[in-house]
């Protein structure tokens, strides 16, 4: 028969876990590795409404980069002539 628990959080840990035997952990040990391998950008709500997912954002940005590069090439060619 399963013991009834008052608070659901109390049932999260198993009784055999003994935290007194754990060595001290290092806070933020992997934070630099995480930062170098993760690139998250927070969109403002009005911008986020225009894109259903991250793929749509990436496609729009790639298109913008392509347009900017074309514009830069056209401007450079016109100055030389």
């Amino acid at each position: 028969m399963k013991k009834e628990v008052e608070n659901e959080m109390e049932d999260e840990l198993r009784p055999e876990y003994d935290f007194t035997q754990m060595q001290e952990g290092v806070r933020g040990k992997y934070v630099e590795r995480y930062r170098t391998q993760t690139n998250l950008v927070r969109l403002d709500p009005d911008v986020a409404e225009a894109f259903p997912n991250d793929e749509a954002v990436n496609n729009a940005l790639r298109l913008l980069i392509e347009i900017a590069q074309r514009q830069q090439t056209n401007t450079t060619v016109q100055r030389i002539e």
Side-chain angles (χ1 to χ4, degrees), residues 1 18 26-27 29 38 51 58 63-64 70 73 81:
M1 187 169 5
D18 184 8
V26 178
R27 185 177 178 96
K29 182 176 179 178
T38 304
F51 300 100
N58 287 327
L63 181 59
L64 183 59
R70 284 186 197 168
T73 303
E81 295 176 351

Side-chain angles (χ1 to χ4, degrees), residues 2-4 11 30-31 36 42 46 49 59-61 69:
K2 189 173 180 181
K3 180 182 172 185
E4 204 166 316
D11 198 34
Y30 299 105
V31 70
T36 60
R42 175 175 238 162
D46 60 323
E49 285 180 17
N59 289 337
L61 290 173
Q69 288 172 342

Side-chain angles (χ1 to χ4, degrees), residues 52-79:
N53 55 36
D54 57 344
E55 184 178 356
V57 173
N58 287 327
N59 289 337
L61 290 173
R62 286 185 186 103
L63 181 59
L64 183 59
I65 291 167
E66 185 180 326
I67 292 168
Q69 288 172 342
R70 284 186 197 168
Q71 185 67 30
Q72 187 177 24
T73 303
N74 290 339
T75 306
T76 305
V77 171
Q78 289 174 0
R79 287 183 187 165

